[in-house]
């Protein structure tokens, strides 16, 4: 639930009727409606034929229009896009009017700029936001947007900062006219036969979806890489799918059990994207999804020899221009001390670190490890030492625990010291005092870093993860295990003494608020972890007294950082203890799995997620995977294939059996997300920077489309279409530590099913 604007003081907008497309060869000009009678020109002197007034530039620019174009030498070494601006003020906008914004732009050398029509004062609400790729030869750019406001003094701004080296920009023929016809954004979805573009397990279910208006069953054929038909059948009409607004049929080709690469499905005159039948891709994903965390590390140099193309200097180790994280003060008036909170993982595409989000993330990594030690199908050697190419590899500790420890050490450091007010509680988060722009490598962040007030939720996250770490790390480092157990008990007592200290929902400048005013679920989760580690009566009694222990916790929307009772229930069901009603708890997990299985069976795209209001959540992909973890746990408890099959069908959705016909995991599938919102995997904005690493999950469709780019293009979207693979779409295309954690967990589960015998013994 982050509401984190990526550029300076960008506020969430009301949803706009806006579409934006640049005529740079990416889209056919035929996509644009021709308007015979454009409205009057709103830009003053956009041709620069007689000087450049009333255009202005920031103090680090000298504007030159002597050539009939407006040119400027942009200085190098700036940090944020808004550090260098060319702009014009007092541009009138009329509410409900659709405008066409055009300009010519060039850059030497080529650069990605930012073109905005916005409110000229805080919160700088953006009515148009575009990232034109400026070339040396120059291009014409064209965008449309519909203004949601009457505003006499809007600002046109070209933000040009953030480049290490200097460059030259030229602009010409800048025009803003009303009377335009809105462009309609239509995503490129490829063939109407939708498959898991990565692949299917030979012995698992194999399902696909066909988008078609046909009402009767249609013939389908499965073809191998030479084009030979190897299986045939008929589709099952499924009617209208509410999550996509499409009429669809489903295909089940499970009976074909051979292996190979380059298969395609043909139905209704369409040929699917290619896919494999095998197992090795899940083995790769098991490690790729975990390798993601090393490049998210704060406080240490990322070694290029371990992650070629991703090496970078250490971020936030107290070296200028960084102002953290070795001695971070609180927000003004909150505390009188500083803490060394260096290390940990950067939460997402920003440089913030949040205890409530770090908590579920490190928990799911440790839980993936715990599952590998006890589940009947588990293959623990795949998570052992030297499996993830870490600096710690070779230390005789499983690499997954080395990675988890990097975050757990940070969580411990966020605890309020003894002798201070609210001692034993945990600070909610630490991040910049204001938003930074994209792109921005961590070591270049020059903002003041601040600790935010302690909260009960953060304190219970620390209690839960430290209690878990105490048992997980005991065979490898008794001292670290003991330190965690002390911290967990101290945090539990502090939370009991301060049971209702909540995060301020307005505390969202420079980082997400992560507010949550119901911490009864965090109390349950922490009590469960402490009981499982210690067996102590105090924690057992807290578990048994919690309404979450017997309540129906299996939400249709899944679980996440703000809904953590499920974490406690799953661990109580799978880990040994003297819990008096353990059998009932185990049965309750199976009941939850049956509910998600029914959702899959009813869903034309086979997804275990169908919110009753048909509104998909921020980070829907992680909620979908967490529901699959309930299915996987039911398989571990019962050995019944239907639960494992439900997990596999869920993976089909993530890998391309969906309305957009794309994979949401970078590097997996013919068409996959690769422009997730990030300040350092920002290739879309700076060709010198990489895309996110292989195995990075995108947040996925989000009906609320809070960011301006999504609002420009996706108004009125059916849930599955509320997604853009655009780095500026922070509400649909984020990457986060708490989304890759369930991906890693479920990838390991599926990879464990690829042995000759996929059936556990009970």
């Amino acid at each position: 639930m982050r509401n984190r604007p990526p550029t300076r003081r960008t506020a969430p907008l009301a949803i706009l009727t806006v579409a934006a497309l640049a005529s740079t060869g990416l889209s056919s000009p035929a996509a644009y409606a021709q308007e015979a009678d454009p409205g009057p020109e709103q830009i003053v002197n956009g041709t620069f034929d007689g000087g450049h007034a009333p255009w202005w530039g920031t103090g680090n620019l000298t504007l030159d229009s002597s050539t009939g174009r407006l040119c400027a030498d942009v200085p190098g070494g700036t940090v944020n896009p808004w550090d260098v601006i060319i702009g014009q003020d007092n541009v009138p906008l009329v509410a409900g009017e659709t405008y066409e914004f055009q300009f010519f732009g060039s850059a030497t050398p080529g650069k990605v700029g930012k073109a905005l029509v916005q409110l000229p004062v805080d919160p700088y609400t953006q009515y148009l936001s575009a990232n034109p790729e400026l070339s040396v030869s120059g291009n014409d750019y064209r965008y449309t947007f519909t203004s949601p406001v009457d505003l006499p003094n809007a600002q046109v701004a070209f933000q040009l900062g953030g480049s290490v080296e200097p460059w030259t920009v030229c602009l010409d023929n800048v025009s803003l006219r009303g009377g335009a016809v809105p462009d309609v954004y239509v995503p490129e979805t490829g063939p109407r036969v939708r498959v898991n573009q990565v692949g299917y397990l030979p012995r698992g279910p194999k399902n696909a979806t066909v988008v078609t208006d046909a009402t009767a069953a249609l013939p389908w054929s499965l073809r191998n890489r030479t084009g030979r038909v190897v299986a045939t059948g008929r589709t099952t009409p499924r009617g209208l799918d509410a999550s996509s607004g499409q009429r669809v049929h489903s295909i089940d080709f499970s009976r074909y059990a051979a292996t190979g690469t380059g298969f395609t499905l043909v139905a209704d005159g369409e040929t699917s994207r290619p896919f494999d039948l095998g197992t090795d891709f899940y083995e790769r994903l098991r490690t790729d999804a975990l390798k993601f965390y090393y490049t998210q590390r704060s406080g240490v140099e990322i070694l290029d020899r371990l992650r070629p193309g991703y090496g970078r200097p250490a971020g936030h180790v107290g070296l200028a221009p960084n102002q953290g994280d070795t001695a971070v003060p609180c927000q003004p008036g909150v505390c009188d001390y500083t803490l060394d909170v260096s290390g940990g993982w950067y939460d997402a595409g920003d440089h913030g670190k949040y205890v409530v989000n770090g908590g579920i993330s490190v928990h799911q990594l440790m839980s993936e490890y715990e599952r590998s030690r006890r589940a009947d199908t588990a293959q623990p050697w795949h998570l052992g030492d030297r499996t993830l190419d870490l600096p710690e590899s070779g230390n005789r500790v499983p690499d997954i625990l080395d990675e988890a420890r990097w975050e757990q050490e940070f969580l411990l450091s966020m605890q309020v010291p003894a002798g201070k007010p609210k001692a034993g509680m945990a600070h909610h988060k630490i991040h910049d005092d204001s938003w930074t722009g994209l792109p921005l490598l961590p070591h270049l962040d020059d903002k003041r870093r601040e600790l935010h007030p302690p909260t009960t939720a953060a304190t219970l996250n620390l209690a839960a993860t430290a209690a878990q770490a105490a048992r997980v790390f005991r065979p490898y480092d008794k001292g670290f295990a003991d330190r965690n157990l002390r911290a967990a008990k101290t945090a539990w007592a502090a939370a009991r003494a301060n049971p209702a200290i909540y995060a301020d929902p307005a505390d969202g400048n420079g980082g997400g608020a992560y507010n949550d005013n119901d911490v009864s679920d965090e109390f349950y989760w922490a009590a469960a972890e402490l009981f499982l580690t210690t067996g102590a009566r105090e924690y057992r009694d807290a578990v048994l007294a919690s309404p979450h222990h017997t309540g129906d916790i299996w939400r249709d929307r899944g679980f996440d950082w703000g809904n953590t009772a499920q974490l406690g229930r799953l661990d109580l069901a799978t880990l040994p203890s003297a819990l008096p009603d353990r059998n009932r708890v185990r049965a309750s997990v199976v009941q939850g799995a049956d509910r998600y299985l029914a959702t899959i069976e009813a869903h034309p795209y086979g997804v275990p997620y169908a919110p009753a209001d048909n509104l998909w959540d921020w980070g829907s992909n992680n909620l979908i995977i967490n529901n699959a973890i309930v299915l996987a746990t039911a398989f571990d408890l019962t050995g019944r294939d239907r639960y494992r099959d439900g997990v596999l069908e869920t993976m089909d959705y993530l890998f391309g059996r969906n309305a957009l016909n794309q994979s949401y995991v970078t590097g997996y599938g013919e068409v996959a997300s690769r422009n997730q919102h990030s300040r350092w995997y920002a290739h879309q904005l700076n060709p010198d920077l990489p895309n996110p690493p292989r195995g990075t999950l995108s947040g996925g469709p989000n009906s609320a489309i809070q960011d301006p780019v999504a609002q420009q293009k996706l108004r009125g979207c059916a849930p599955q279409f509320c997604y853009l693979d655009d780095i500026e779409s922070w509400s649909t295309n984020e990457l986060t530590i708490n989304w890759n954690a369930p991906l890693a967990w479920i990838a390991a589960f599926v990879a464990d099913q690829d042995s000759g015998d996929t059936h556990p013994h009970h």
Side-chain angles (χ1 to χ4, degrees):
M1 295 289 290
R2 304 165 187 71
N3 209 342
R4 56 158 67 101
T7 54
R8 179 177 64 168
R9 297 171 287 192
T10 311
L13 322 189
I15 292 178
L16 316 184
T17 37
V18 189
L21 294 165
S23 56
T24 56
L26 300 176
S27 306
S28 162
Y32 308 126
Q34 298 301 311
E35 180 57 41
D37 185 23
E41 180 61 66
Q42 304 300 317
I43 297 291
V44 178
N45 188 19
T47 59
F48 311 109
D49 292 333
H52 51 260
W55 291 90
W56 53 266
T58 44
N60 49 10
L61 287 180
T62 299
L63 302 184
D64 177 6
S65 55
S66 60
T67 63
R69 290 179 174 172
L70 180 61
C71 298
D73 291 327
V74 180
T78 59
V79 174
N80 296 298
W82 54 80
D83 293 342
V84 183
I85 303 176
I86 294 174
Q88 182 171 135
D89 294 331
N90 300 311
V91 178
L93 296 178
V94 175
E97 183 72 26
T98 297
Y99 293 88
E100 179 180 80
F101 182 51
Q102 298 188 80
F103 58 92
F104 169 89
S106 69
T108 308
K111 289 286 174 185
V112 178
K114 192 178 286 287
L116 305 169
V117 181
Q118 64 181 11
L119 189 71
V121 294
D122 200 356
Y124 296 92
T125 306
Q126 297 171 0
Y127 311 119
L128 171 70
S129 171
N131 294 299
E133 296 182 30
L134 304 172
S135 67
V136 175
S137 57
N139 295 88
D140 292 303
Y141 300 88
R142 177 193 175 281
Y143 307 91
T144 67
F145 70 98
T146 301
S147 175
V149 293
D150 283 312
L151 190 67
N153 63 333
Q155 179 184 82
V156 169
F158 294 93
Q159 294 184 351
L160 308 169
S163 174
V164 174
E165 72 271 9
W167 58 288
T168 300
V169 65
C170 289
L171 300 169
D172 201 0
N173 299 326
V174 185
S175 171
L176 180 71
R177 306 179 79 148
V181 174
D183 295 319
V184 177
Y185 170 74
V186 179
E188 175 53 61
T189 56
R192 290 182 288 106
V193 182
R194 308 294 161 77
V195 297
N196 177 332
Q197 296 172 28
V198 178
Y200 301 85
L201 295 187
R203 297 184 53 172
K206 302 172 191 69
N207 293 281
T209 297
V210 187
V211 180
T212 177
D213 288 328
T215 54
L218 299 167
W220 60 260
S221 61
L222 175 67
R223 305 187 182 199
N224 65 17
R225 66 180 312 150
T226 68
R228 186 168 65 85
V229 174
V230 294
T232 59
R234 296 188 75 78
T235 64
T236 302
R238 301 293 295 268
L240 184 68
D241 167 45
S243 70
S244 65
Q246 298 169 324
R247 298 193 178 279
V248 298
H249 293 200
S250 55
I251 292 173
D252 184 344
F253 60 107
S254 302
R255 70 177 186 272
Y256 186 78
T259 60
T261 61
F263 288 91
T264 54
L265 265 180
V266 178
D268 202 24
E270 299 264 319
T271 301
S272 75
R273 290 179 171 145
F275 56 90
D276 296 348
L277 298 178
T279 60
D280 56 332
F281 36 86
Y282 282 112
E283 206 55 74
R284 287 197 303 273
L285 183 61
R286 185 205 306 256
T287 53
D288 283 345
L290 289 171
K291 283 183 171 184
F292 162 86
Y293 288 92
Y294 174 55
T295 50
Q296 286 292 116
R297 285 190 188 186
S298 178
V300 68
E301 178 189 4
I302 305 305
L303 300 172
D304 202 71
R305 63 177 173 81
L306 297 180
R307 297 292 183 277
Y310 292 90
R312 58 172 171 81
H316 299 96
V317 288
L319 298 177
N322 284 167
Q323 296 191 51
D325 284 349
T326 54
V328 179
C330 284
Q331 287 178 299
V334 170
C335 74
D336 65 356
Y337 51 84
T338 65
L339 293 179
D340 181 349
V341 292
S342 56
W345 299 318
Y346 294 119
D347 179 65
D350 61 332
H351 301 136
K353 299 185 291 194
Y354 310 81
V355 172
V356 296
N357 216 44
I360 189 173
S361 306
V362 74
H363 163 77
Q364 288 192 299
L365 261 62
M366 290 190 287
S367 292
E368 178 182 341
Y369 168 78
E370 288 193 290
R371 182 192 172 273
S372 79
R373 313 300 296 182
R374 60 175 166 73
D376 286 352
T377 56
Q379 301 166 355
W381 56 92
H382 287 298
L383 296 177
D385 191 16
R386 302 184 190 272
T387 54
L388 298 178
D389 299 322
L390 301 178
E392 300 85 356
S393 295
N395 65 355
R396 300 187 179 182
V397 176
D399 280 2
I400 189 173
L401 294 188
D402 286 325
E403 195 56 75
R405 181 169 181 159
W406 192 264
E407 177 71 2
Q408 189 59 32
E409 294 264 17
F410 160 73
L411 297 180
L412 292 170
S413 75
M414 291 286 280
Q415 195 161 28
V416 177
K420 297 295 182 181
K422 300 188 175 68
M425 293 191 75
H427 287 277
H428 197 67
K429 56 180 182 166
I430 176 256
H431 58 65
D432 296 338
D433 65 359
S434 57
W435 285 108
T436 57
L438 280 71
L440 181 63
L441 285 160
H443 70 284
L444 299 177
D445 175 21
D446 63 357
K447 298 287 187 183
R448 171 185 164 96
R449 305 280 277 179
E450 294 176 333
L451 295 168
H452 293 246
T455 63
T456 308
T459 304
L460 291 166
N461 269 263
L462 175 59
T465 59
Q468 184 180 22
R471 63 177 183 262
V472 165
F473 284 93
R474 188 155 301 281
Y476 305 103
D477 187 336
K478 182 177 181 298
F480 184 58
D482 290 343
R483 186 176 142 217
N484 273 283
L485 188 55
R486 286 192 300 272
K489 290 178 174 178
T490 301
W492 173 261
R496 292 290 293 257
N498 300 277
I501 298 179
Y502 304 127
D504 179 359
D507 184 16
N509 189 21
Y514 283 102
N515 51 301
D516 177 6
N517 283 11
D518 178 0
V519 294
S520 60
D521 50 329
E522 282 83 3
F523 269 111
Y524 178 66
W525 174 34
E529 299 299 344
L530 278 158
F531 169 67
L532 289 167
T533 297
T534 68
R537 173 172 294 180
E538 175 188 359
Y539 309 122
R540 183 199 68 186
D541 290 350
V543 166
L544 296 176
S546 171
H548 297 289
H549 189 55
T550 53
D552 180 3
I553 59 172
W554 309 114
R555 306 162 69 233
D556 57 356
R557 314 192 92 94
F559 61 87
D560 58 7
W561 65 266
N563 298 274
T564 58
Q566 297 86 341
L567 305 178
R569 184 84 68 91
L570 291 169
D571 274 4
L572 289 169
T574 53
L575 294 167
S577 75
L579 190 71
D581 59 348
R582 184 163 177 261
N583 286 340
R584 183 199 59 76
V585 169
R586 289 163 71 91
S588 77
V589 173
V590 178
Q591 289 162 1
D594 285 337
R595 179 179 303 173
Y596 296 137
L597 213 51
T599 303
I600 287 176
E601 288 165 1
H603 202 297
Y605 276 102
V607 193
Y609 175 81
D613 56 8
N614 200 36
L615 295 175
W616 284 32
D617 298 279
W618 191 318
S620 59
N621 283 339
N622 102 103
L623 300 170
I624 288 167
I625 299 175
N626 280 330
N627 285 349
I629 286 176
V630 179
L631 291 165
T633 303
F635 174 75
D636 286 342
L637 292 172
T638 67
R640 294 176 194 147
D641 283 351
R642 64 175 180 266
Y643 300 120
R644 182 203 62 195
D645 290 352
V647 173
L648 293 170
E649 197 162 351
T650 303
M651 301 308 289
D652 297 342
Y653 167 81
L654 293 169
F655 285 148
R657 185 195 173 194
N658 54 56
L660 288 171
N661 197 13
Q662 68 147 86
S663 165
Y664 289 109
V665 181
T666 304
Y668 285 79
E670 185 171 288
V671 177
S673 300
R674 59 193 172 99
N675 293 310
Q676 289 94 320
H677 178 73
S678 168
R679 279 163 177 72
W680 58 104
Y681 312 129
H683 186 77
Q684 183 182 339
L685 299 178
N686 180 348
D688 296 333
L689 295 173
N691 290 109
R694 277 178 57 93
T696 300
L697 180 69
S698 167
N702 169 15
S703 295
I705 54 172
Q706 288 94 332
D707 66 85
V709 175
Q711 290 173 352
Q712 285 166 18
K713 296 188 177 184
L714 301 178
R715 178 187 168 89
C717 50
Q720 282 202 55
F721 284 99
C722 297
Y723 172 79
L724 288 173
D725 184 28
D726 189 298
I727 194 168
E728 299 282 12
S729 185
W730 40 266
S731 68
T732 77
N733 201 33
E734 233 183 350
L735 57 85
T736 76
I737 56 174
N738 66 306
W739 296 346
N740 252 65
L743 178 68
W745 194 108
I746 209 72
F749 171 86
V750 176
D752 283 344
Q753 311 309 316
D754 64 12
S755 60
D757 178 9
T758 56
H759 304 267
H761 306 287
H762 286 267

